[in-house]
Amino acid sequence: MSPVASDATTTLQPPGRTATRWLILAVICLAQLTVILDNTVLNVAIPSLTEDLGATTADVQWMINAYSLVQSGLLLTAGNSADRYGRKKMLAVGLVLFGVASLGAALAQSPGQLIAARAGMGVGGALLVTTTLAVVMQIFDDDERPKAIGIWSSVNSLGFAAGPLIGGTLLDHFWWGSLFLVNLPVAVMALAAVIALVPESSSRGGECPDLLGALLSMIGMVGVVFAIISGPVTGWLSGRVLVSAALGLAGLVAFALWELHVPYPMLDMHFFRNRRFIGAVAGGILVAFGMGGSMFLLTQHLQLVLGYGPLDAGLRMAPLAVTVILLNFTGLSARLLPRLGTPGMIVSGMSLLAAGLAAISLLGGDGYGGMLTGLIVMGVGVAFAMPAMANAIMSAIPPAKAGVGAGVNGTLMEFGQGLGVAVLGAVLNSRFVALLPLVAAGAGSLPAALARTRTEAERTAVHDAFAAGIGTSQLVGAAAVFLGGLVAAILLRRAERAGQDPEVPATPAGAEPAAAPAE
């Protein structure tokens, strides 16, 4: 490049900023949205899959869970691969794998084929979740990064809200395979844009791949997530859940011990000595706990207590996602971050999230009006807390390990959401059984309990007990989220006072000393 051209570039664009960074962010968000949609879109197709493929209940469970199990098990490995082999390269590989597996899912002729295709989509999804956030860290500097991460985080809320709506619309006009075919043009467009626009970066050095660490992390995460998924179906004390949980916990302990002694660890366990990292991790788990558990409860509240159908219930949960999207896309959360600081944003956001859950519990039992208020307050809380949390986690990890940081963030979300469903679901069931021990004990669900009733008075009592159980669960979730926000804020504030700041302000994103462009 000539000196004249170089001077022109520097006058138009601050040093360290990629000129096309916002266009790249749009491409990244499109890829991320596709991944999130496939976490929710298949639920509406269960009747069609059962009829067309002759799928059993167990088949349907594996069709849904194969995707999340594989994705959660590979998040750390995918992030490490992105750091090592190139974030742009792994983003492109993830798009190709996701697109090919989506085509295989659309053309599946048996439950086994669809399960295998969904597992393949999980591999691509793990690469996309980690590389998209790592690229955001690479192309945005400290000033713009909070807003960019806020927009990236909003995609999760958009995907959750849009999944059932898009799935229901497609199934009204086409066959169930259309749910997967729509991924193909998105993957192709995103792949072309990634190749043309995204700059490459990777970690420097010839470290040996941590293959055993990758295996142990997969065993640990898959075991824990499978136990959480299976608990509500087979019972928390069933052999399947206990064996899976034990295997998963043993895998995670072995992973931590191995990472402490291997010369080139996939995840440097010394990060956990950093109070800022610990505070962000604790807060991240509890935000995901509140979100995952509350969504689980809200779905049942709307459908089983208030009597809405699946599509109507999805529409009535949309205000939460819309609030998150509006606040993050307008940049309000990013503008407040310098004023309140990371601890202030996190404690404010998690307090609002807790207040929204409490409002739904106390005001939403008899109608949608009270629930709407709670959903909007929750949306404000999520918009404040989640981007600040993700930024804190990523900032506490060296730029050269951005992929691993994204893997940690994704793993926390998976674990926290599953834990929220497990714990709050257990509280719901315990309260339900305590109120109606003869009817609810062993029933396992509201429909099963209703099947045991004989009179309208008994059905009303069952509904009231179930609604009371949901309200109690939401209050427990609110308390956990609020206390978690305080703990996270205290840890982060102490880290700031102690002068722990792992960021390197003098080094712009994309030009970190520990990273080198791939040849």
Side-chain angles (χ1 to χ4, degrees):
M1 179 181 292
S2 68
V4 174
S6 177
D7 291 342
T9 301
T10 55
T11 57
L12 291 173
Q13 191 62 40
R17 288 186 178 178
T18 305
T20 55
R21 61 196 180 282
W22 294 107
L23 181 58
I24 294 172
L25 179 63
V27 173
I28 283 172
C29 287
L30 184 62
Q32 175 78 354
L33 178 61
T34 307
V35 175
I36 301 301
L37 285 175
D38 276 274
N39 275 316
T40 58
V41 74
L42 197 62
N43 292 319
V44 298
I46 289 175
S48 300
L49 293 170
T50 303
E51 180 178 349
D52 294 348
L53 295 181
T56 64
T57 301
D59 290 334
V60 170
Q61 289 174 351
W62 276 109
M63 289 172 190
I64 294 172
N65 295 335
Y67 181 74
S68 57
L69 280 173
V70 172
Q71 181 175 302
S72 61
L74 288 176
L75 283 170
L76 283 177
T77 302
N80 185 259
S81 299
D83 289 336
R84 177 179 300 278
Y85 301 113
R87 293 160 194 136
K88 173 180 179 176
K89 190 179 301 178
M90 289 298 104
L91 179 53
V93 170
L95 286 167
V96 171
L97 287 176
F98 196 82
V100 171
S102 296
L103 178 61
L107 301 178
Q109 300 296 314
S110 68
Q113 292 177 4
L114 183 53
I115 291 169
R118 290 278 291 170
M121 292 172 68
V123 177
L127 284 168
L128 294 178
V129 167
T130 52
T131 51
T132 52
L133 183 54
V135 170
V136 169
M137 295 298 296
Q138 171 196 350
I139 63 175
F140 288 96
D141 61 18
D142 293 343
D143 293 335
E144 293 182 330
R145 194 174 295 146
K147 182 177 181 180
I149 290 180
I151 293 173
W152 179 88
S153 299
S154 299
V155 172
N156 296 324
S157 301
L158 178 60
F160 175 83
L165 304 181
I166 292 175
T169 302
L170 288 172
L171 288 175
D172 281 344
H173 298 88
F174 308 103
W175 99 114
W176 58 264
S178 62
L179 300 178
F180 305 108
L181 281 183
V182 295
N183 294 336
L184 297 182
V186 174
V188 170
M189 289 188 295
L191 179 61
V194 165
I195 293 172
L197 299 173
V198 176
E200 181 62 286
S201 69
S202 61
S203 299
R204 181 180 299 166
E207 302 97 344
C208 297
D210 184 10
L211 299 179
L212 182 57
L215 178 62
L216 291 174
S217 71
M218 284 189 284
I219 292 173
M221 280 304 299
V222 169
V224 170
V225 173
F226 182 73
I228 291 172
I229 290 173
S230 301
V233 179
T234 63
W236 293 105
L237 297 179
S238 66
R240 176 191 292 184
V241 171
L242 293 178
V243 170
S244 178
L247 183 63
L249 292 174
L252 291 177
V253 170
F255 171 73
L257 294 174
W258 172 255
E259 296 299 288
L260 286 170
H261 296 93
V262 67
Y264 301 107
M266 182 193 326
L267 175 62
D268 189 346
M269 302 306 291
H270 294 97
F271 291 149
F272 290 92
R273 294 178 180 176
N274 186 316
R275 290 178 182 174
R276 185 176 185 179
F277 183 74
I278 289 292
V281 164
I285 289 176
L286 286 165
V287 167
F289 175 96
M291 284 297 295
S294 64
M295 293 303 101
F296 168 74
L297 295 174
L298 286 171
T299 302
Q300 298 192 67
H301 192 154
L302 285 164
Q303 295 188 51
L304 300 179
V305 176
L306 299 182
Y308 294 108
L311 185 58
D312 289 334
L315 286 170
R316 282 164 176 77
M317 291 177 69
L320 188 155
V322 171
T323 303
V324 175
I325 293 165
L326 288 176
L327 291 181
N328 281 329
F329 272 81
T330 56
L332 177 61
S333 300
R335 289 196 297 271
L336 288 175
L337 183 59
R339 299 180 185 180
L340 300 180
T342 300
M345 284 293 287
I346 288 175
V347 74
S348 299
M350 294 183 73
S351 297
L352 287 169
L353 177 56
L357 282 169
I360 290 173
S361 173
L362 299 174
L363 305 176
D366 298 323
Y368 181 67
M371 179 177 287
L372 177 61
T373 302
L375 288 171
I376 293 173
V377 174
M378 284 178 65
V380 177
V382 172
F384 284 9
M386 288 194 76
M389 207 82 70
N391 191 48
I393 291 172
M394 297 300 291
S395 298
I397 290 179
K401 297 292 184 183
V404 170
V408 171
N409 185 69
T411 300
L412 292 179
M413 294 301 105
E414 290 281 348
F415 181 73
Q417 288 172 6
L419 194 64
V421 172
V423 172
L424 298 188
V427 172
L428 164 60
N429 189 61
S430 298
R431 179 63 173 160
F432 186 34
V433 171
L435 291 173
L436 291 174
L438 298 180
V439 177
S445 66
L446 177 62
L450 288 173
R452 299 184 176 192
T453 61
R454 296 182 179 180
T455 66
E456 189 63 31
E458 290 178 344
R459 293 187 182 90
T460 301
V462 168
H463 268 287
D464 291 344
F466 190 79
I470 284 182
T472 301
S473 301
Q474 288 165 335
L475 288 176
V476 170
V481 170
F482 177 71
L483 293 175
L486 292 179
V487 170
I490 289 170
L491 289 172
L492 289 167
R493 184 69 70 191
R494 286 181 177 177
E496 290 182 355
R497 290 175 179 172
Q500 288 192 21
D501 191 357
E503 297 176 338
V504 187
T507 305
E512 60 267 22
E519 298 293 338

